[in-house]
């Protein structure tokens, strides 16, 4: 007799008929207090409270030139541009994002294994980790569009099947992130509330959502409540600076109409104790270049 696949309990229902806010049911920092790693106890406390931790110079100016040259090489490679991993800006048709850079570029493959990065991810998630998603967001000047307010976990739960909030992103600036060229904005503390969004996930949603997200975006009322309660912090910093942020932070970024690109590399680490199951609120899985299904720990 074949047994039905074990159905994972859905702690974070979303994309139903109505929008509903519920308290987070997971820790933010999963390692034991005092666990070894590059973050101090103070920094981890700050991450637990606000949902983010900044590192002034995670990579050196010399490193930045290497990564920026690699970004330029990828963006100017016709084969990369033609690849489904590349998402273009809706208006200018310039490259907006390239996904799975840790698989198509040795330079970025090395970055995800760099102890300055990997040891921090392991310290936050308290386990071995694998890359759920990596991408470069180019955000060129003269009109690159931003990313509307959302929780990454809401999408990664609904569409990629991540069961728990045991996932962390690091955004590393490869160009100066000014207060004018479309920097990352986070609502501090918003990660402690899960906002289940209203509205079903359309089939092949990713083909649109990576340019302009609709399914999984909060209502104006919910966003107003979050912003009134938590405020909004804009992250600026020189190339090489980094922002670690919890998967459930309410975040977004504005358009970039300045001449100065805001190019960042994003790596999403997931715990090997939280591997993807079936999507919780989508008809089909997204492609593996967006939501990995290779759970081999990064060593
Ligand atoms: O859907 C996703 O996985 C992507 N979308 C956004 C707006 N942020 C996270 C991720 O890159
Ligand atoms: Fe996001």
């Amino acid at each position: 007799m074949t047994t039905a696949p074990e159905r994972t309990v859905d702690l974070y229902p979303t994309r139903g008929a109505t929008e509903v806010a519920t308290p987070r049911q997971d820790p933010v920092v999963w390692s034991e207090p005092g666990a070894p790693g590059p973050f101090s106890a103070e920094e981890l406390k700050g991450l637990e409270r606000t949902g983010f931790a900044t590192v002034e110079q995670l990579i050196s100016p010399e490193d930045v030139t290497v990564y920026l040259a690699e970004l330029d090489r990828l963006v100017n490679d016709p084969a990369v541009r033609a690849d489904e991993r590349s998402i273009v800006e809706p208006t200018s048709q310039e490259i907006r994002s390239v996904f799975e850079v840790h698989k198509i570029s040795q330079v970025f493959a090395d970055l995800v294994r760099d102890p300055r990065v990997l040891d921090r991810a392991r310290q936050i998630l308290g386990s071995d980790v694998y890359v759920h998603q990596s991408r470069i967001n180019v955000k060129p000047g003269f009109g690159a569009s931003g990313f509307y307010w959302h929780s990454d976990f809401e999408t990664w739960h609904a569409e990629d099947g991540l069961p728990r909030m045991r996932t962390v992103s690091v955004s590393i600036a490869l160009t100066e992130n000014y207060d004018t060229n479309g920097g990352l904005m986070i609502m501090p503390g918003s990660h402690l509330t899960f906002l289940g969004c209203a509205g079903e996930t359309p089939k092949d949603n990713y083909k649109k959502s990576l340019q302009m997200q609709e399914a999984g975006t909060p209502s104006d009322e919910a966003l107003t409540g979050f912003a009134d309660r938590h405020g909004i912090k804009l992250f600026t910093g020189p190339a090489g600076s980094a922002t670690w942020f919890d998967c459930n932070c309410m975040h977004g970024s504005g358009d970039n109409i300045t001449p100065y690109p805001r190019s960042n590399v994003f790596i999403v680490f997931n715990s090997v104790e939280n591997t993807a199951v079936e999507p919780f609120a989508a008809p089909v899985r997204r492609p593996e270049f967006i939501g990995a299904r290779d759970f081999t720990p990064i060593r």
Side-chain angles (χ1 to χ4, degrees):
M1 183 210 31
T2 51
T3 50
E6 191 196 324
R7 185 78 193 125
T8 313
V9 172
D10 186 355
L11 295 177
Y12 298 107
T14 188
R15 304 203 186 173
T18 56
E19 183 178 59
V20 60
T22 53
R24 178 191 188 105
Q25 301 176 60
D26 288 301
V28 178
V29 174
W30 288 74
S31 57
E32 290 305 315
F39 281 120
S40 69
E42 274 322 290
E43 286 169 319
L44 292 177
K45 272 204 207 91
L47 174 62
E48 186 82 41
R49 190 180 67 255
T50 63
F52 57 80
T54 57
V55 181
E56 266 317 292
Q57 199 70 49
L58 181 66
I59 61 175
S60 67
E62 297 71 36
D63 293 336
V64 168
T65 48
V66 170
Y67 294 118
L68 198 52
E70 180 68 355
L71 178 144
D72 288 339
R73 184 188 72 77
L74 290 169
V75 166
N76 292 297
D77 179 344
V80 171
R81 184 186 179 82
D83 191 295
E84 61 176 347
R85 293 176 182 84
S86 293
I87 310 294
V88 293
E89 288 289 344
T91 41
S92 67
Q93 293 299 300
E94 281 196 75
I95 288 193
R96 171 180 170 87
S97 304
V98 179
F99 280 81
E100 213 175 35
V101 287
H102 71 291
K103 284 267 173 80
I104 61 174
S105 153
Q106 189 54 52
V107 169
F108 288 114
D110 294 344
L111 180 59
V112 305
R113 286 167 176 76
D114 186 311
R116 293 170 294 183
V117 176
L118 181 58
D119 293 352
R120 283 183 165 88
R122 291 167 52 86
Q123 189 181 14
I124 293 169
L125 300 180
S127 69
D128 271 336
V129 299
Y130 71 94
V131 176
H132 172 68
Q133 181 183 107
S134 71
R135 65 196 184 276
I136 46 177
N137 278 356
V138 185
K139 204 173 263 202
F142 302 114
S145 49
F147 295 82
Y148 194 68
W149 294 106
H150 63 283
S151 151
D152 289 338
F153 177 77
E154 192 280 339
T155 292
W156 297 337
H157 181 70
E159 300 191 54
D160 297 340
L162 299 193
R164 310 292 294 255
M165 296 179 182
R166 193 168 182 179
T167 319
V168 66
S169 292
V170 60
S171 164
I172 304 174
L174 299 183
T175 60
E176 178 91 22
N177 282 214
Y178 297 104
D179 52 5
T180 52
N181 62 344
L184 173 67
M185 295 182 285
I186 293 177
M187 297 187 188
S190 58
H191 65 303
L192 298 174
T193 302
F194 177 71
L195 187 69
C197 296
E200 283 199 354
T201 309
K203 196 164 171 344
D204 286 348
N205 182 47
Y206 72 94
K207 290 185 177 160
K208 252 171 59 49
S209 70
L210 297 179
Q211 277 186 329
M212 171 64 73
Q213 186 174 354
E214 276 171 18
T217 51
S219 66
D220 294 356
E221 297 70 31
L223 280 175
T224 306
F226 269 69
D228 287 348
R229 209 165 36 254
H230 300 294
I232 296 173
K233 178 177 173 49
L234 170 68
F235 290 82
T236 60
S241 58
T243 304
W244 289 83
F245 59 107
D246 177 78
C247 57
N248 189 45
C249 288
M250 189 61 72
H251 69 289
S253 61
D255 294 352
N256 179 12
I257 58 170
T258 73
Y260 313 112
R262 193 233 60 184
S263 300
N264 290 15
V265 56
F266 288 77
I267 307 163
V268 181
F269 291 100
N270 189 37
S271 167
V272 294
E273 311 295 331
N274 187 44
T275 52
V277 295
E278 287 312 306
F280 285 87
V284 290
R285 294 179 176 186
R286 296 200 295 178
E288 296 198 25
F289 72 83
I290 303 176
R293 293 277 162 174
D294 171 0
F295 306 139
T296 313
I298 301 284
R299 285 257 167 65

